[in-house]
Amino acid sequence: MNYLAKTLLAIRKDSKLFQNPEVNFILGLTTSQVKDLKKIAITEGLIEEHKREFTLTNAGEQYINEVPIISWTDEINNKRPEINLEYLKLEKTPPTVTKAIRCLARHLLEGEDLKENSTEHYLVKELLCSKSTCVKIKKEIEKFVLQNNKFKLTCLFERFMTPPYGLTKSIISVLLLDVLVKSKDILAIYENSQFQLKLTSLMFDRMIYCPQNFELQKTIVENLPILEKISAIILPCKSTNILDLTKGLIYFIKNLDKHTLTTERLSKNTIRFRNAVLNAKDPINLFYKDIPKTLDDKILCQCEKSFVKKFDETIQELQDSYSNLTKEISTFLFDSFSEKSRKKLAKRFEAVQEFLSDNELKILHNNIKELNSFDTLWIERIATFINKSRVPKDWSDNDVADFKIKVKELALKFTTIEAAAGGSNIKIDSSTAKLLSQILKLSKPQKMVLVREIVGGN
């Protein structure tokens, strides 16, 4: 009954103990434990009440003398600090402590408010304040975390859960959380060998639950002015922090449209650059080795101004990729209809509107005559219709080819109708008219073969 002796000693110091809102922290016990111990002490005649204040009886004083409080530190675990919160000493983390650690993680990482006199509030007072008995231990954990070598998270738990420390997983978890929060700008975190962009409370929860899936590594930042020049291209503010650059670059790449992320219609260096970032597993290797090798066939410390220029050009090519696609398909559309402007193309469709029996041409007409939208939105709507609901941002290179085939086919249909209706300025002789008539009688597969040959001939 070590807890009972501890409670009796606290009552000896403060007769109003049970009126104190921090009674749980003072005793290091849960609310239910405090209630149970209070009941036992009264029933056993160890304390007596006088106007809501409690004092020890002779039996209570005798109990304290006969049942001394046993120190948590022992000869084997001589680096183990004295801990007041009893539930932190338990080998198996109680659910209430697990919940409190999650709340603390949300507080430190996401700014969630910390409730006064909550278990998570007591974790801060016990383990993270400047007067904590764990100050030295936390410094050792910080030194371990910020070592120059990459290490598995399980190694940290194994080291500090065994002698001469003998800490519990819950204590290590809270101390580790504080170290991670304060060192997140210089610490790379890997989950299943994959570099993680941001430390969140959910990720920390996974780190505690499955430490075997995580590795940590301090990022080494050398005095390389070239890093600052690169950062000016991809970050809002200049930086030489390798983690800032890596995160900024990965965010940039992952925010690109699907077409840019998959197309092979880019320069070889840009494709290799993009793929290197998408598959990056190590931020240090990405900037020190992978990207410089791709663009300049060197490592970063050997690179000069030419590398920065190539880096900038590559980023620019990726940024321009989608706008170049919309320009390309817009130009192809106009060329296919032998037209130069949206307005003129719309007028040509209006001129033969009553002769448009083909549903695809009718829908195309409805999209073409929409003259109030911006050029990009206009061609996106047309392209989405032609490629059957797939928006250009999600297109593959095959979708681009399919678009061109379908546009050629629609242009051929339209030109034939236009010629037959007399709405075209193009003079068609009898042999051409006969040929067009035969083409319209072909099956769809035959038309597709013909159109592919026409596109290939261009």
Side-chain angles (χ1 to χ4, degrees):
M1 295 296 289
N2 203 33
Y3 294 170
L4 182 56
K6 186 178 182 179
T7 303
L8 294 177
L9 279 172
I11 292 172
R12 179 198 278 175
K13 291 180 181 179
D14 182 9
S15 61
K16 297 181 180 180
L17 174 69
F18 296 116
Q19 299 177 44
N20 193 324
E22 293 192 340
V23 60
N24 290 358
F25 179 74
I26 294 168
L27 297 178
L29 301 169
T30 63
T31 300
S32 59
Q33 287 176 318
V34 172
K35 287 181 179 179
D36 291 342
L37 289 168
K38 179 181 176 182
K39 184 177 181 181
I40 291 171
I42 294 172
T43 303
E44 297 294 328
L46 303 177
I47 58 175
E48 54 188 12
E49 182 180 8
H50 302 282
K51 296 181 180 180
R52 295 185 64 198
E53 294 186 20
F54 291 87
T55 55
L56 295 185
T57 62
N58 290 336
E61 293 287 354
Q62 184 178 353
Y63 185 92
I64 289 174
N65 293 329
E66 293 177 355
V67 185
I69 296 175
I70 301 172
S71 173
W72 196 44
T73 303
D74 53 38
E75 291 184 4
I76 297 175
N77 299 297
N78 52 48
K79 284 195 173 185
R80 178 190 275 172
E82 286 295 347
I83 297 292
N84 179 54
L85 299 178
E86 301 295 338
Y87 39 76
L88 289 179
K89 302 175 186 178
L90 301 175
E91 186 175 341
K92 185 177 180 181
T93 306
T96 53
V97 176
T98 299
K99 182 181 177 181
I101 293 175
R102 287 172 178 165
C103 290
L104 182 58
R106 291 196 296 272
H107 168 68
L108 294 177
L109 291 168
E110 285 132 34
E112 185 178 288
D113 291 338
L114 209 60
K115 293 181 181 178
E116 191 75 17
N117 295 322
S118 60
T119 304
E120 50 270 25
H121 180 224
Y122 292 156
L123 292 181
V124 174
K125 291 183 68 173
E126 176 75 55
L127 302 176
L128 303 182
C129 73
S130 58
K131 296 181 180 179
S132 170
T133 57
C134 294
V135 170
K136 289 184 178 179
I137 292 291
K138 191 173 75 169
K139 286 183 178 178
E140 291 195 45
I141 289 177
E142 182 179 30
K143 184 178 179 181
F144 188 94
V145 169
L146 298 181
Q147 61 180 283
N148 289 327
N149 300 316
K150 183 188 288 190
F151 67 94
K152 291 186 178 293
L153 190 55
T154 48
C155 295
L156 181 139
F157 282 100
E158 288 169 2
R159 176 168 180 175
F160 289 96
M161 288 178 73
T162 54
Y165 302 97
L167 302 180
T168 60
K169 189 174 184 179
S170 55
I171 293 174
I172 298 172
S173 298
V174 175
L175 298 178
L176 172 63
L177 173 62
D178 192 58
V179 171
L180 291 178
V181 170
K182 292 176 180 177
S183 307
K184 61 184 178 181
D185 291 335
I186 58 169
L187 197 65
I189 301 174
Y190 306 85
E191 183 176 9
N192 294 319
S193 300
Q194 188 69 41
F195 171 64
Q196 300 301 303
L197 285 172
K198 186 178 180 181
L199 174 62
T200 64
S201 58
L202 289 175
M203 185 194 298
F204 180 74
D205 193 43
R206 297 197 302 273
M207 292 173 76
I208 301 309
Y209 185 71
C210 296
Q212 66 273 16
N213 293 342
F214 287 85
E215 294 175 287
L216 306 177
Q217 182 178 16
K218 184 181 76 171
T219 54
I220 303 168
V221 181
E222 297 178 11
N223 184 22
L224 291 173
I226 197 169
L227 286 175
E228 191 172 65
K229 294 178 182 179
I230 294 171
S231 71
I233 299 170
I234 56 175
L235 298 177
C237 299
K238 291 182 179 180
S239 173
T240 57
N241 188 309
I242 203 82
L243 270 186
D244 288 342
L245 270 74
T246 302
K247 290 177 181 179
L249 184 56
I250 292 176
Y251 277 127
F252 166 76
I253 294 291
K254 291 194 173 183
N255 284 330
L256 292 171
D257 55 274
K258 187 176 178 181
H259 171 74
T260 303
L261 291 176
T262 58
T263 184
E264 297 295 315
R265 302 164 80 242
L266 298 167
S267 66
K268 289 183 179 180
N269 275 354
T270 299
I271 292 172
R272 290 169 59 201
F273 175 93
R274 176 197 65 192
N275 294 344
V277 179
L278 287 173
N279 298 319
K281 294 184 178 180
D282 189 318
I284 297 175
N285 281 339
L286 178 64
F287 263 100
Y288 277 86
K289 179 180 161 185
D290 298 341
I291 291 176
K293 282 284 186 183
T294 296
L295 299 181
D296 218 14
D297 200 26
K298 298 175 183 176
I299 58 175
L300 189 63
C301 61
Q302 299 171 339
C303 293
E304 299 176 352
K305 289 182 180 179
S306 60
F307 169 72
V308 179
K309 183 181 179 183
K310 291 174 184 177
F311 187 93
D312 189 19
E313 290 172 348
T314 301
I315 292 294
Q316 196 62 50
E317 186 178 358
L318 290 168
Q319 284 179 326
D320 294 343
S321 173
Y322 182 66
S323 62
N324 288 339
L325 172 66
T326 56
K327 288 176 185 176
E328 178 186 347
I329 61 178
S330 180
T331 299
F332 189 87
L333 177 73
F334 286 122
D335 289 347
S336 297
F337 282 88
S338 300
E339 198 53 79
K340 293 183 178 180
S341 74
R342 292 165 53 179
K343 190 174 181 180
K344 288 182 179 180
L345 184 58
K347 283 185 176 180
R348 284 174 58 190
F349 266 86
E350 287 171 9
V352 296
Q353 182 176 356
E354 61 182 303
F355 301 102
L356 298 180
S357 60
D358 185 278
N359 284 334
E360 287 188 325
L361 286 176
K362 286 181 179 180
I363 297 172
L364 180 59
H365 175 215
N366 287 334
N367 284 297
I368 285 175
K369 72 179 182 180
E370 179 55 62
L371 300 176
N372 294 325
S373 58
F374 291 109
D375 288 344
T376 300
L377 180 59
W378 181 80
I379 191 61
E380 283 178 335
R381 291 179 62 179
I382 292 173
T384 300
F385 152 66
I386 289 176
N387 265 14
K388 305 302 180 187
S389 299
R390 293 199 65 188
V391 295
K393 285 186 177 181
D394 291 341
W395 280 7
S396 66
D397 291 343
N398 287 340
D399 290 321
V400 177
D402 286 342
F403 168 83
K404 291 182 177 181
I405 292 294
K406 291 171 184 175
V407 166
K408 282 289 185 181
E409 184 182 30
L410 289 168
L412 181 61
K413 285 182 182 179
F414 177 77
T415 304
T416 304
I417 293 171
E418 194 176 36
S424 173
N425 293 326
I426 302 172
K427 293 182 178 180
I428 301 178
D429 55 32
S430 59
S431 60
T432 304
K434 185 177 180 181
L435 179 61
L436 288 174
S437 177
Q438 291 175 337
I439 290 173
L440 291 175
K441 292 178 182 179
L442 295 175
S443 65
K444 189 165 184 177
Q446 289 173 322
K447 289 177 183 176
M448 290 297 290
V449 171
L450 180 61
V451 173
R452 288 181 189 276
E453 289 296 324
I454 295 172
V455 174
N458 287 347

